[in-house]
Amino acid sequence: MSPCAEKSSVSVCEGNRTGGKSSLQKWTWFSKYYKTPLFQISLIGFICFCCPGMFNALNGMGAGGQEDPSAADKGLTALYATFAVFGLLGGGIYNLLGPNITLFFGCSFYILYVGSFLYYNHHSNQAFVITAGALLGMGAGLLWAGQGAMMTSYPTPERKGMYISIFWSIFNLGGVLGGFIPFLLNYHSDHGSVNDQTYIAFMCIMVLGTVLTLVLAKPESVIRDDGTHASSSQYPDVRSEVFHVLMLFLDWRMLLLAPACFASNFFYSYQFNNVNGVLFNVRTRAFNNVFYWGAQMLGSVVIGYILDHGHKRRKIRGMIGCSLLFIISAGIWGGGLANQLGYGRTNPPPYKLDFKLGSAYAGPFVLYFSYGLLDAMFQTLCYWMIGALANDARVLSRYSGFYKGVQSAGAAVAWYTDNKGFSYLGELILNWSLMGASFPLFYILLILAVKDADPSVLAKETGNIQKTVMSEEIDNRNKSDMP
């Protein structure tokens, strides 16, 4: 006799069946939610929270947390030089290997880079920092090309600004919380460099982010809000990817975007080393970082909302966003100029500011906060422009790789220039000029390249393309099965 035949056991068996069904339903719900753009972009945001977010928290203190910026400048010059190459190649590598392998490899070098500063605290060996920086440039190029592809291709066209701001907020929350780590661990420190515990804490968080890359879904399994898939399951070969990457340099849209790409990280060496690093003591540098990256969250949300909801037409939304950002950037860089006239490389400030000083601290703090706001708004606009040029993950991975490659070339030049002793005022004027020159080219792109297609039409076209690809695959299988 079956145990379930007895009356006393019926409720248990039915409970097991009900419980099994409930567990299955829960798993089915999670599996469906797991494949949504919101979950995947939030996940890649948290991965970047752990790795680039902690890197930004450390780097934003100026000199990589050290008192002497020489080692950090050389390491970052090497980093962005290799980043320029692998950022460009990263889109093709992402298309060939998929997100898990590409991003796992990319994240792992963040741990090594922070470890090099831990070593430098005891041995003052710049060679390790420079080597780790060059290796991190390779890894960061892969990470950001993959991240850019996911962030711009997973959402439907009318929600790209919102999803970019979601990613940017989660990512920069890493910089906010990461800023608290050196602030708390160095609160009573009189040294110009952060302590060992700061570097160890950053490395532990980066290990978590690296492991999480293995949880990302395949792009072709991600289902957009309109029911279409983010990418087809067909992957290109190496020759095809190399060809498409090289063709980016003949794409007039990418050439118009190139000055903005070059400018978008150029200002970090000036802001981190020559504003935060020069004006403030070590604990205040960490305190400022909390608000710098917090400002990034605010800036991205504001500009993302405008780019999605400012007007029915996408072109007009882009025009409004560009115009607003141009005015804001002029005001912030103008304030930076007024501040910079008070000190320079040959006439440094008489003392380091502390956050407890009140009015003397307030003005430079607001300026540094505003620099963070401007950075996020400018980069969100750049990503929105890239996302408006295409809707396919493979194409957008190449566009994102181009963006990060040219961006990193600009950053390498900036860190090299700073290391060679270029004047603070000259760096500010160069930063302002590069960013300002990007806006007229944004307008040309909006007029000539950004389409005002109805998102529902785009979704329907995408679905038809995917159905065609699936039909071709089925036909090919049937042909191969024929005798």
Side-chain angles (χ1 to χ4, degrees):
M1 180 183 292
S2 170
C4 291
E6 296 186 19
K7 187 175 182 180
S8 60
S9 303
V10 170
S11 59
V12 176
C13 292
E14 291 199 357
N16 289 339
R17 285 197 296 269
T18 304
K21 184 177 180 181
S22 177
S23 299
L24 180 61
Q25 287 175 337
K26 289 178 180 178
W27 173 251
T28 303
W29 177 86
F30 175 76
S31 178
K32 184 177 180 181
Y33 181 68
Y34 165 76
K35 295 176 181 178
T36 62
L38 178 60
F39 186 90
Q40 291 298 313
I41 289 174
S42 298
L43 181 57
I44 186 64
F46 189 73
I47 289 168
C48 289
F49 167 105
C50 293
C51 294
M54 295 302 114
F55 169 85
N56 283 345
L58 181 64
N59 203 35
M61 294 182 65
Q66 298 292 316
E67 186 170 16
D68 181 4
S70 176
D73 278 359
K74 291 175 183 176
L76 289 166
T77 300
L79 188 160
Y80 285 109
T82 53
F83 196 162
V85 176
F86 280 85
L88 183 62
L89 299 176
I93 295 172
Y94 169 82
N95 287 341
L96 294 168
L97 300 181
N100 305 100
I101 297 175
T102 305
L103 271 67
F104 182 87
F105 180 78
C107 286
S108 60
F109 286 114
Y110 282 90
I111 307 167
L112 179 67
Y113 181 75
V114 176
S116 72
F117 280 100
L118 177 62
Y119 181 81
Y120 187 80
N121 254 3
H122 297 275
H123 302 284
S124 299
N125 186 344
Q126 294 188 2
F128 187 13
V129 176
I130 296 169
T131 302
L135 291 172
L136 177 55
M138 296 167 53
L142 302 183
L143 169 64
W144 284 105
Q147 172 274 332
M150 288 182 268
M151 186 175 68
T152 54
S153 67
Y154 286 2
T156 51
E158 74 277 12
R159 293 190 176 182
K160 291 193 177 185
M162 181 186 75
Y163 278 101
I164 291 171
S165 66
I166 288 173
F167 164 82
W168 210 258
S169 297
I170 297 173
F171 157 52
N172 283 300
L173 185 60
V176 172
L177 298 182
F180 277 113
I181 294 174
F183 175 67
L184 295 174
L185 293 178
N186 297 273
Y187 187 84
H188 299 292
S189 174
D190 295 325
H191 298 288
S193 304
V194 300
N195 56 30
D196 289 357
Q197 289 84 350
T198 303
Y199 293 121
I200 293 170
F202 283 145
M203 292 171 71
C204 291
I205 297 171
M206 289 174 173
V207 169
L208 173 61
T210 303
V211 172
L212 285 175
T213 61
L214 303 177
V215 184
L216 289 165
K218 301 293 184 186
E220 61 269 18
S221 69
V222 177
I223 302 172
R224 295 191 182 101
D225 299 335
D226 58 7
T228 60
H229 286 265
S231 178
S232 70
S233 58
Q234 290 184 329
Y235 287 89
D237 57 33
V238 176
R239 259 188 323 182
S240 173
E241 275 305 311
V242 171
F243 172 76
H244 283 102
V245 167
L246 292 176
M247 289 301 292
L248 292 174
F249 291 96
L250 299 178
D251 188 331
W252 61 273
R253 297 171 299 179
M254 291 296 100
L255 296 179
L256 285 174
L257 197 62
C261 301
F262 193 85
S264 59
N265 268 187
F266 199 91
F267 42 74
Y268 279 163
S269 62
Y270 171 75
Q271 293 173 3
F272 295 162
N273 279 4
N274 306 332
V275 179
N276 201 30
V278 169
L279 292 179
F280 307 98
N281 62 25
V282 66
R283 70 176 183 181
T284 306
R285 284 152 58 187
F287 181 77
N288 292 345
N289 257 352
V290 173
F291 291 92
Y292 182 92
W293 301 113
Q296 298 243 353
M297 298 168 64
L298 175 63
S300 181
V301 169
V302 169
I303 196 69
Y305 181 85
I306 292 170
L307 292 171
D308 276 354
H309 303 286
H311 194 275
K312 289 182 179 180
R313 294 182 60 192
R314 184 157 62 175
K315 282 180 183 288
I316 301 299
R317 296 199 303 269
M319 294 284 187
I320 293 171
C322 280
S323 301
L324 176 65
L325 192 53
F326 177 76
I327 295 170
I328 292 173
S329 67
I332 292 173
W333 284 117
L337 176 61
N339 177 72
Q340 188 57 73
L341 293 175
Y343 71 99
R345 207 178 280 274
T346 56
N347 59 315
Y351 59 91
K352 298 281 188 178
L353 293 172
D354 187 85
F355 70 94
K356 291 184 177 182
L357 290 178
S359 58
Y361 167 73
F365 167 76
V366 171
L367 174 64
Y368 194 64
F369 177 90
S370 301
Y371 280 146
L373 191 79
L374 179 60
D375 176 21
M377 296 181 81
F378 188 73
Q379 292 208 57
T380 299
L381 177 62
C382 289
Y383 273 118
W384 184 88
M385 295 288 290
I386 291 171
L389 298 178
N391 207 40
D392 180 79
R394 288 175 295 180
V395 174
L396 287 170
S397 68
R398 299 176 193 128
Y399 287 175
S400 299
F402 180 88
Y403 171 67
K404 298 305 293 188
V406 178
Q407 179 190 71
S408 301
V413 172
W415 287 105
Y416 178 81
T417 299
D418 186 63
N419 187 50
K420 290 300 181 182
F422 202 63
S423 73
Y424 294 164
L425 181 60
E427 287 187 31
L428 182 144
I429 293 172
L430 184 57
N431 283 316
W432 190 355
S433 300
L434 286 171
M435 184 176 285
S438 304
F439 288 99
L441 303 179
F442 279 151
Y443 286 117
I444 296 173
L445 268 173
L446 285 164
I447 293 169
L448 299 180
V450 175
K451 305 299 181 184
D452 276 325
D454 187 339
S456 61
V457 174
L458 287 175
K460 186 176 179 181
E461 290 175 353
T462 304
N464 290 337
I465 291 171
Q466 291 173 343
K467 288 177 183 177
T468 303
V469 171
M470 291 176 65
S471 299
E472 290 176 354
E473 289 178 349
I474 293 170
D475 290 341
N476 290 335
R477 287 198 204 101
N478 291 337
K479 289 176 182 178
S480 63
D481 291 338
M482 292 176 63

